[in-house]
Amino acid sequence: MLFNSFEFLVFFPIVFIIYWLLNNDLQKQNILLLVSSYIFYAWWDWRFLSLIIVSSFIDYTAGSKIFHAKTERQSKNWLLISLIANLGLLGFFKYYNFFADSFSTMMTGFGWQPNDLTLNIILPVGISFYTFQTLSYTIDIYRKQFEPTKNMVSFFTYIAFFPQLVAGPIERASNLLPQIEKKRILKKEWFNEGLIQILVGLFRKIVIADTIGAYVDTVYSDVGIYNSTTIVVATFLYAFQIYFDFAGYSDIAIGTAKLMGFKFNQNFNLPYFSISLTEFWRKWHMSLSFWLRDYLYISLGGNRKGIKITYRNLMLTMLLGGLWHGSSWNFVIWGGIHGLILSIEKFIKTYQTSYLWKKFSFLGYPITFGVVLFSWIFFRAQDLNSAMLAIKKICQFNFSAPFIGDINLIITSALVLSLGIGFDFFLFRKKIDLENLAARFSILKVAVLASVIIVLINLFYSTSNNFIYFQF
Amino acid sequence: MNPPILKHIIKSFLLILLISFVSDKLVFFLFNKISDQVYTGQSIGKVNHYLEIKDSLDFIVFGSSRANHNINPIKISENSFNMGMDGRKLAYSATLIKLLPDKKKQTVLLHIDPEYAFDTDYIGDDITALSPKYNRNTTIKNEIDKLGQNNILQRFYWSIGYNNAVLGIVKNYLQPNYDYKTYSGYDPIYVSDNQREIFENILNKGEKSKDCESQYTLNTIYNSYLDEIKIFCKTRNKTLILFTSPRLIDGCKDDNLKLKQILKDKNLEYYDFTDFLKENKNLDNWKDRGHLSDKGAELFTEEIKKLLK
């Protein structure tokens, strides 16, 4: 079920009303959340519910066993079981074909023609997200940072909770499970915040991202036929398409959870207003970047083992972070670019002392955006060949008039994008988080703002597409 | 949930419904007022223009961009109009045909593409381009409802009808593209150097071979609309002629032949011009594989004119 679908418009109010009617019985409320989350997921494909249930069961058991293990070895073994089971499922469904195909290509290079090893596998929606979520639970218990829950319903609800099930934010057990296990209350401020964030998220998704996505899709479906200007424009628009698409999804998820009395962590914080790539990653898909930092980068040694190992760890973390997004070399290269620039930034930060460097630090904003923009080419292109072709076409410096296509679409894209960037700029200048924007608004102000957004959505929404991050 | 928060939620919800309902109606009536004065542009102006002159026309062309850019109706009749529009298919055209006057003798030239006629996934969604008229024209409302293309929220929020048409309407209200009184609906394509370059790049990449299907089944919406407009035209003094525009490259002929047979069985007059200009390899006649340039359109119009004589 998509957040921007009519089904969800019916589904959510029903769940919301029953949920708050059951407010005096926590267990019943959690059972409702679990059942409704499974319905939400099954709406896409009920068969893959079994994966979530199996994954939940393994980690519920592993968490308990790790905690109660009498020896370090036992504890480690159960952690390994959790890692192998979760990463095994993820690896099979998401990466089997990628590795099989890469293996075939490599063998062909050596003159051996293996049979087609790929399988017809459907990628279960959200598997990358809930796998990381379940892993954080067992790893935190292993690190003795968290105690396992004894309540199976709570744990299963934590994994399947519908606002964040299919595309995050990747909520840690330490944040979400305690909220699931205690009585929730809905505060006025939360209701205001949640409602406005849902509407802003919808606007970002179905108005901005979907509108500008049409141009991007046209150009990136056949980059070879367009000039340099067109590809630069399409890449620029894609940078905002993916941001508004995913930030919009996160807004709806965070807002929906808030209406149910849950507080998720912030997932995007105006990432394009970043002076460095390091800062960008503190603001972009924060739940993933913090996950990678805490469970991968630090596990590899972080920056505790000398500068060379730090560079290696950064590269490995970003390469694997890239691969997490998709099973293609494009994503690996995308991660590699980010890893490389993060390492360079680390190097500069270590040695920067000059006055000039500090004086011109503001140049970090456009440079960071430029790096991010360049890397998006690999993220968006259909395959490695298309990405290289796009770069080649840009390097031809054929900056004549760009392809326009539907003029109405271009003008609408420019308008809605200006509204989106303008709103973000307002939040940036005022140092306000969207999550808290409407907290102190009066009822009238909330209603007026909500109505304005509704009217704008009605006038400018685009035909719905899947959220980009669903494919990951 | 405690009573104060429940009260807050109910009050907020009702207030949002009330304010959004009122503001929606204000926006709707404002855009009605503005759009009624717009007679240029594809958002609504061309439809308004058509609605204003439809009763006085002798000859009208309907269809997609392959009708709009390819036929200059003035070369055929002075009292004519080309109502072809980019991306429109049969649902849209048939609805506009049904708005023609009852007794006036008129010739309706309707473009039909085999590719879309046999597209089983076609659901008539091109009719949503008429949504601005949803709450204002019964025929249009009925057709949109019949195809299930109405947005259910539009019963409450009427301004949804203006979705994605607003900027075009405002632009044409403030600065009309052309003098509509001298406009025949025909939009010739003057190919720019950039377009020519893109087109040549496409051709140089080579034609992807289009496999013929083993079986062709007429889309049910096409089937019913063809029957409906046939009866409509027959009973209202209209001559209905269907045609298919030229293509530079057409890899499969089976669908053309099948469509020809189906239309013959339905007793509909049909002409397939897919291979018109096939012998003439001059790329100046083309904007792309499916659309003629202004030069190609002039040649094609002459051919249509001969046919109608």
Side-chain angles (χ1 to χ4, degrees), chain A residues 79-95:
Chain A
L79 178 68
L80 271 175
I81 290 172
S82 165
L83 288 171
I84 291 168
N86 286 299
L87 295 176
L89 285 173
L90 181 66
F92 175 73
F93 282 99
K94 190 162 179 173
Y95 301 108

Side-chain angles (χ1 to χ4, degrees), chain A residues 6 20 23 186-188 191-192 195 222 225 398 401 408 411-412 443 447 451 454-455 458-461, chain B residues 1 5 8-9 12 15-16 19-20 151-152 157 159-160 163-164 166-168 194 197-198 201-202 205:
Chain A
F6 184 72
W20 286 112
N23 199 29
L186 182 57
K187 301 170 196 164
K188 282 181 194 175
F191 177 79
N192 291 352
L195 191 69
D222 199 353
I225 62 171
N398 180 4
N408 198 27
I411 295 171
T412 308
I443 289 187
S451 301
I454 289 169
V455 170
N458 287 343
L459 290 178
F460 294 108
Y461 78 90
Chain B
M1 195 183 294
I5 181 71
H8 178 81
I9 292 173
S12 302
L15 210 55
I16 290 171
I19 297 175
S20 63
N151 184 328
I152 198 158
Y157 292 124
S159 65
I160 286 179
N163 176 255
N164 277 317
V166 170
L167 292 179
N194 190 27
E197 188 190 327
I198 290 175
N201 284 341
I202 293 171
K205 279 182 71 178

Side-chain angles (χ1 to χ4, degrees), chain A residues 239-267:
Chain A
F240 287 97
Q241 182 200 354
I242 192 167
Y243 164 60
F244 284 118
D245 186 280
F246 196 25
Y249 175 86
S250 296
D251 290 334
I252 302 169
I254 294 168
T256 306
K258 222 171 232 182
L259 294 187
M260 316 286 276
F262 292 93
K263 194 158 194 176
F264 284 180
N265 288 314
Q266 194 180 25
N267 208 23

